[in-house]
Amino acid sequence: MAETLQLPKYSIGMGDRFAHQAKAQLAACVLAEKAGVTIAPVWNKSNREHLIIGSEPSGTRSAADVAVKELGWTGPYFLDADHINLKTVDRFLAPCNFFTMDVADDIGHPAAAEDVAAFVARHPELIGNVAIPRIEKPFEIDEAFVRGVANKFLAAVQQAGAIYRSIVDKKGEGSFVPEISMDETDSPQTPVELLVILAAIADEKIPIQTIAPKFTGRFNKGVDYVGDVEQFTKEFRDDLATIAFAVERYGLPKNLKLSVHSGSDKYSIYKAIRESIKDFDAGVHVKTAGTSWLEEVIGLAESGGDGLALAKEVYAEAFGHAAELCAPYATVIDIKTERLPDPSVVNGWTSDEFVRALRHDGKHDAAFNPDLRQLLHVGFKVAAKMGDRYLKALEANEEVVARNVTTNLYERHIKPIFVG
């Protein structure tokens, strides 16, 4: 059998909505390499985003391959079939080598009673006081709890197993990185629930290399973490300890690590992530998703002239179709519509005013508008409808757009998490 494809210790997920920023994104990983930290680039784009834009996964692959060649990147790199399921996976099979199996919609669907009973019988070690190194208090677990967690999550894990085996049948075992995503759901998974979930994943023989749970607090698109940072820190550290324990107990892959979805702009928790992974000597995968699309709009606005006019047009259209654009992302945005400026106001803005309202750098600029930023984050459909007009604007302003993309990814995300 061919050698199993391994995701390195540190990796960063990068969204490239219009397949124009791969080189600028990879440049941020090159800067990290020069700073002494190797971070594997993972370009991710979901089926929903491909459908909205009218693109194909092969186009994302081509853009990544060209960037790697032009910058002389010699390390591993990945293309993520993001948030796929059995209905959507096929178009990603050939170009992708990383598959995020999204089973959030299956959480809470009761598993077959006999499957739950078999799981409980198979795992007596989960019942009682379960002591995990580096977690202060043992988990106190009774059979009813294990049964309840299995009833809530087992069907989702079985669905992940079905997706995984479908990919293996067509691509071959070890030829891709499997991730399980459970983040886009209503309730966070606690560390003790994570332990039960990992036992179920091991039973399904899914060699996952990353897992994306839903953490406490809100991870809204393109804005800072909303929640108790201290609580998140404890939960994140307990999850790291739980994963290390499960790897040894259940024979899961040694490089299994946490994946933080919607991780862009979560400045208030970056220190906790950095210090925790260093303390535990653990890896992490952080997805920055659509933040590069926002940097495209910022770059156009910063360019002035036609670029600024187009950025204003994108906002006006997004404002007019806000409900439609927001609906698919309801669990990961929180927009106060009364705080959105009217397009007539935005049309009068200077380049600097537009950029300051949209740019999020953690410096608490009073002009920054998180509601406007979230709306534009989900508003890439507007640019997609512009077609070549939008793409030509990117190409005409490539230098300033690329500078914003690289600076954002390296200075605001990679450095505070991985470099320190």
Side-chain angles (χ1 to χ4, degrees):
M1 191 181 85
E3 185 178 350
T4 298
L5 189 64
Q6 295 281 325
L7 185 66
K9 186 174 185 177
Y10 301 141
S11 51
I12 189 159
M14 307 180 299
D16 188 10
R17 297 283 190 266
F18 297 95
H20 272 58
Q21 304 310 324
K23 187 176 177 181
Q25 291 170 325
L26 184 58
C29 294
V30 172
L31 289 173
E33 190 82 23
K34 290 178 180 177
V37 181
T38 298
I39 303 169
V42 181
W43 281 278
N44 47 253
K45 191 170 177 180
S46 69
N47 188 65
R48 176 169 60 194
E49 289 154 4
H50 280 296
L51 290 175
I52 288 172
I53 291 169
S55 56
E56 290 291 336
S58 57
T60 311
R61 163 60 69 182
S62 296
D65 289 346
V66 168
V68 164
K69 183 177 180 180
E70 290 188 1
L71 292 185
W73 181 259
T74 58
Y77 64 102
F78 302 84
L79 185 65
D80 179 8
D82 194 16
H83 290 289
I84 51 90
N85 54 42
L86 282 173
K87 294 179 180 177
T88 59
V89 67
D90 284 353
R91 71 190 305 204
F92 294 93
L93 290 169
C96 292
N97 58 353
F98 187 122
F99 288 80
T100 297
M101 300 174 287
D102 188 345
V103 293
D105 287 346
D106 296 287
I107 294 172
H109 291 186
E114 58 270 25
D115 291 343
V116 172
F119 177 83
V120 174
R122 199 161 50 241
H123 291 287
E125 81 285 354
L126 289 172
I127 298 170
N129 285 350
V130 180
I132 292 181
R134 305 200 65 174
I135 293 183
E136 185 177 350
K137 294 181 179 179
F139 294 148
E140 296 180 6
I141 311 175
D142 59 20
E143 182 178 322
F145 179 83
V146 175
R147 189 176 298 277
V149 175
N151 204 46
K152 183 177 181 181
F153 292 101
L154 190 56
V157 173
Q158 290 172 334
Q159 179 68 5
I163 299 168
Y164 171 74
R165 289 185 288 275
S166 172
I167 301 168
V168 167
D169 286 346
K170 294 161 184 170
K171 285 186 72 74
E173 193 173 0
S175 64
F176 60 96
V177 172
E179 171 176 290
I180 290 180
S181 166
M182 295 183 169
D183 67 303
E184 291 194 4
T185 187
D186 293 331
S187 302
Q189 294 101 47
T190 64
V192 65
E193 287 177 325
L194 180 61
L195 178 61
V196 179
I197 290 166
L198 291 170
I201 290 169
D203 286 352
E204 281 288 318
K205 295 181 170 50
I206 311 170
I208 59 167
Q209 296 185 36
T210 76
I211 184 164
K214 180 176 177 61
F215 297 101
T216 295
R218 285 193 64 94
F219 285 71
N220 295 323
K221 296 283 188 181
V223 293
D224 205 350
Y225 173 75
V226 180
D228 185 329
V229 173
E230 187 175 340
Q231 183 182 1
F232 168 83
T233 303
K234 183 181 186 307
E235 185 178 293
F236 188 83
R237 291 176 66 85
D238 285 354
D239 281 351
L240 291 177
T242 300
I243 286 175
F245 178 82
V247 164
E248 294 300 320
R249 181 64 182 79
Y250 299 115
L252 290 163
K254 297 288 187 184
N255 67 332
L256 174 57
K257 59 186 181 178
L258 279 174
S259 180
V260 182
H261 281 202
S262 296
S264 58
D265 303 84
K266 303 301 178 286
Y267 302 128
S268 61
I269 60 172
Y270 285 172
K271 181 181 178 184
I273 294 174
R274 182 182 73 248
E275 291 180 348
S276 297
I277 60 175
K278 183 178 179 181
D279 187 26
F280 279 78
D281 192 22
V284 72
H285 178 60
V286 179
K287 291 180 69 173
T288 60
T291 189
S292 289
W293 139 251
L294 292 176
E295 294 303 318
E296 288 181 344
V297 180
I298 287 170
L300 292 175
E302 198 171 75
S303 299
D306 291 342
L308 175 60
L310 191 143
K312 291 177 178 179
E313 184 180 341
V314 169
Y315 176 74
E317 283 295 308
F319 183 91
H321 297 86
E324 168 196 336
L325 295 171
C326 293
Y329 298 93
T331 61
V332 285
I333 56 173
D334 186 14
I335 297 174
K336 305 293 188 294
T337 55
E338 68 273 13
R339 298 179 189 171
L340 292 171
D342 191 270
S344 62
V345 174
V346 174
N347 282 339
W349 282 356
T350 64
S351 175
D352 182 63
E353 286 173 324
F354 193 105
V355 169
R356 287 181 64 196
L358 181 55
R359 179 177 284 152
H360 185 213
D361 58 10
K363 295 178 181 176
H364 307 293
D365 188 331
F368 171 60
N369 187 322
D371 302 286
L372 175 145
R373 182 173 172 87
Q374 288 180 87
L375 176 60
L376 283 174
H377 198 292
V378 300
F380 61 93
K381 185 176 184 179
V382 173
K385 288 183 176 180
M386 293 178 173
D388 285 346
R389 189 158 69 93
Y390 179 74
L391 299 181
K392 286 178 180 177
L394 291 182
E395 291 157 8
N397 299 282
E398 180 180 0
E399 184 178 347
V400 64
V401 169
R403 172 171 48 77
N404 276 284
V405 169
T406 303
T407 298
N408 172 67
L409 197 57
Y410 181 67
E411 294 291 341
R412 299 179 199 134
H413 295 87
I414 289 175
K415 272 182 74 173
I417 299 172
F418 300 104
V419 181

